[in-house]
Amino acid sequence: MIVIKGVIYIRKLLLIIPLLLIILVGCTTSSDLEPPSDFRFDDGFLYWTEVKGAEHYVIEINGSNKLAYNNKLDLKDYNTGNYTARIATFSKGKLSPFTNLIQFQLIQDEELSNLTITDTEISWDAMEGLTYQISIKNVETNETSVQNLLQNMYNYESLEDGLYDIEIKVLLDEIVVTSKSIRFEIGTFDYVVEAGMVLDIEIPDTLYAGDIPLVLDEDYTVDEFGLIIDSEKIDALTNHFVLTTTKDDITVYRFVKLVVIAIPEIISSGSVNYEGVDLVFTFNLKGGSFQGLGGNDISFDDYTFSNDTLTIHASYIDEIIEADANRTMLILTYVLQNDPHVVIGYLFITLP
């Protein structure tokens, strides 16, 4: 039984060996088969002169093979970059020798995309194998500096406040593949939630907070102080934004911090009955300040303010009552401030 199995095994092996030989010699290199001539790169295509009887062609591009069935190859699926290529003819299971390598630079229609501005840097989508150059011109002084960048970002913290024309070039070696220009104003631009911001600029043709269009007389107004932006659309944001203004086809970008500054308030009731003792009112200034009391000839000597607590001396109220015994109500005005918020409130004191 063992011998029979051995014979059967040997027979199977003898059948497999010729099949392997067929596979191994199925594609051989033949010096009799000529590679294509006039192999060249031109305007996004590889071209060559066809070989009579060729079934297809094998093009090696940067070490990877591609098949073609006519006399050209469209390189639309390849990125901008430096390439080497060579070609061979395939016919009747045989492959010709490859041509010598050619070198070429492929420049595709590229676009610098997803330009992003933060409080410290300008960045954009990376483009593999390419480098960047940034040109920065101070609009006021005309001073220009140029920097070569290896990464897809530029840190502008070293620039002084001012207006700049910035051009970003994408390079393949020294060839400009694409570029983008912006005008960028550097400065401290804070939008205070529920208070807004003021810009000393001309009325723009268009105004955007990020991707949100702002409408005149709805989201912003203009007066002698400048352009006043106070928009519920911006109040609803949760993060910083880039303010974009366009005037006469010139667009200016500004990075704006979204700042939440709390509005100070009174905590205790503002309406009390006077019962012959000092009156006490409590406030939450939220980092702001108590500016003072006004009305009915009250002076700083008539009250104290400490630790968010206002105390109106009874002696002051007694003088009011003594001056007019028929008086039943005393109204005082208080002012709180947490810049830019100013709160004006009233205290209603019922007299006996």
Side-chain angles (χ1 to χ4, degrees):
M1 295 295 291
I2 297 174
V3 174
I4 292 174
K5 287 182 178 179
V7 171
I8 293 173
Y9 174 77
I10 291 172
R11 285 180 178 175
K12 288 183 177 179
L13 184 61
L14 291 174
L15 290 172
I16 291 171
I17 289 174
L19 181 61
L20 289 173
L21 289 173
I22 291 172
I23 294 173
L24 289 173
V25 300
C27 179
T28 60
T29 300
S30 172
S31 59
D32 296 332
L33 187 61
E34 294 292 330
S37 60
D38 195 23
F39 183 50
R40 66 196 185 279
F41 168 79
D42 185 27
D43 195 24
F45 286 82
L46 288 172
Y47 294 97
W48 55 91
T49 300
E50 290 191 85
V51 176
K52 186 176 181 180
E55 296 176 16
H56 62 258
Y57 304 93
V58 179
I59 304 103
E60 181 187 282
I61 303 174
N62 280 9
S64 297
N65 289 341
K66 186 86 172 178
L67 300 184
Y69 296 88
N70 50 31
N71 69 328
K72 66 179 180 180
L73 178 66
D74 190 344
L75 299 175
K76 63 181 180 180
D77 295 329
Y78 288 80
N79 294 329
T80 295
N82 292 312
Y83 289 89
T84 60
R86 59 180 185 167
I87 189 170
T89 305
F90 182 88
S91 179
K92 297 179 180 180
K94 294 183 179 181
L95 188 68
S96 76
F98 277 92
T99 60
N100 293 328
L101 283 171
I102 64 170
Q103 297 181 342
F104 61 92
Q105 289 184 317
L106 177 63
I107 308 295
Q108 303 285 32
D109 290 332
E110 305 283 0
E111 184 176 344
L112 195 146
S113 58
N114 286 334
L115 188 73
T116 303
I117 299 174
T118 71
D119 57 339
T120 59
E121 67 184 36
I122 302 171
S123 62
W124 52 91
D125 282 351
M127 302 174 74
E128 184 179 355
L130 304 179
T131 59
Y132 314 96
Q133 185 182 85
I134 190 165
S135 173
I136 304 161
K137 176 184 175 182
N138 187 304
V139 175
E140 183 178 351
T141 65
N142 284 326
E143 293 180 0
T144 302
S145 63
V146 178
Q147 293 187 35
N148 293 316
L149 307 171
L150 296 178
Q151 294 182 316
N152 55 314
M153 58 81 66
Y154 169 72
N155 188 306
Y156 64 81
E157 288 182 289
S158 61
L159 296 180
E160 297 180 353
D161 288 356
L163 193 62
Y164 295 88
D165 283 331
I166 296 178
E167 182 182 22
I168 303 166
K169 295 179 180 178
V170 181
L171 304 177
L172 175 62
D173 298 334
E174 296 182 357
I175 299 175
V176 178
V177 175
T178 187
S179 65
K180 187 177 184 68
S181 297
I182 65 170
R183 178 163 285 189
F184 182 43
E185 185 171 7
I186 299 175
T188 301
F189 302 106
D190 292 340
Y191 180 94
V192 180
V193 174
E194 298 184 4
M197 67 183 296
V198 179
L199 287 176
D200 185 16
I201 63 172
E202 293 184 73
I203 303 175
D205 299 327
T206 61
L207 179 62
Y208 282 79
D211 296 328
I212 303 171
L214 302 181
V215 180
L216 180 63
D217 295 329
E218 179 180 323
D219 301 301
Y220 68 95
T221 57
V222 179
D223 62 15
E224 66 272 17
F225 298 106
L227 189 143
I228 302 171
I229 305 174
D230 189 0
S231 169
E232 292 181 358
K233 298 173 186 175
I234 300 178
D235 291 341
L237 299 177
T238 59
N239 208 339
H240 58 258
F241 61 94
V242 175
L243 187 71
T244 307
T245 58
T246 301
K247 177 72 174 178
D248 298 331
D249 295 327
I250 298 176
T251 299
V252 180
Y253 298 82
R254 299 171 182 86
F255 178 83
V256 179
K257 291 181 179 179
L258 199 65
V259 179
V260 177
I261 298 179
I263 301 174
E265 60 184 350
I266 188 169
I267 295 176
S268 62
S269 174
S271 299
V272 297
N273 296 320
Y274 178 62
E275 297 178 350
V277 296
D278 291 350
L279 296 178
V280 177
F281 302 88
T282 56
F283 295 80
N284 185 351
L285 298 180
K286 300 180 179 179
S289 60
F290 181 85
Q291 295 295 301
L293 281 178
N296 291 281
D297 296 324
I298 194 168
S299 68
F300 291 113
D301 295 331
D302 298 324
Y303 65 90
T304 60
F305 191 91
S306 178
N307 297 323
D308 287 354
T309 301
L310 169 66
T311 302
I312 301 176
H313 303 318
S315 58
Y316 163 73
I317 301 176
D318 290 339
E319 289 178 3
I320 296 294
I321 296 173
E322 185 178 342
D324 185 356
N326 295 320
R327 187 167 187 171
T328 59
M329 178 68 68
L330 173 63
I331 301 175
L332 299 174
T333 303
Y334 63 83
V335 179
L336 313 177
Q337 184 171 352
N338 193 11
D339 195 36
H341 300 299
V342 176
V343 177
I344 299 175
Y346 300 92
L347 302 177
F348 298 92
I349 303 170
T350 302
L351 303 177

